[in-house]
Amino acid sequence: MRKTFLIAVAGCMLAIGAMGEQVIVKVAPPRAVVEVRGPSPHAGYVYQRGYHRWNGNAYAWQPGIWVEPPRPHARWVDHRWDHRNGAYVYTEGHWR
């Protein structure tokens, strides 16, 4: 019983760690860089636009990339910074 409980607790901790920490920054992100995207490398690929990521000290531009969707009809939702309570909160891009 104790072993089962410890395994369950460890599983929960791994799941929480996989969700990642919320990034909150007091400084507004710079304007998005206008990217010139080349042609898609393969039919059906989706372009994930670039975004400013926070590296702990400053914003750094992360260029966009072409990716294959994980499943048919999947839709990419871009990364974004939301202004909340005087700070900027990062929401990671994801598939829907």
Side-chain angles (χ1 to χ4, degrees):
M1 173 109 168
R2 181 179 171 160
K3 187 175 181 179
T4 304
F5 174 75
L6 291 175
I7 291 171
V9 169
C12 288
M13 291 176 74
L14 286 173
I16 290 169
M19 287 189 287
E21 295 181 22
Q22 195 172 42
V23 177
I24 301 172
V25 182
K26 292 285 187 182
V27 180
R31 290 182 185 257
V33 173
V34 177
E35 297 180 298
V36 177
R37 58 176 108 162
S40 173
H42 299 284
Y45 271 44
V46 173
Y47 190 75
Q48 293 179 348
R49 291 189 297 182
Y51 65 99
H52 284 100
R53 63 178 170 76
W54 183 254
N55 69 11
N57 296 313
Y59 288 100
W61 181 252
Q62 182 69 40
I65 58 172
W66 287 99
V67 297
E68 184 177 13
R71 61 190 174 283
H73 308 293
R75 198 187 91 191
W76 176 251
V77 178
D78 284 327
H79 309 274
R80 69 176 190 274
W81 287 94
D82 295 316
H83 189 230
R84 292 188 216 148
N85 302 322
Y88 296 86
V89 180
Y90 174 71
T91 302
E92 190 169 351
H94 59 276
W95 291 100
R96 281 199 176 160

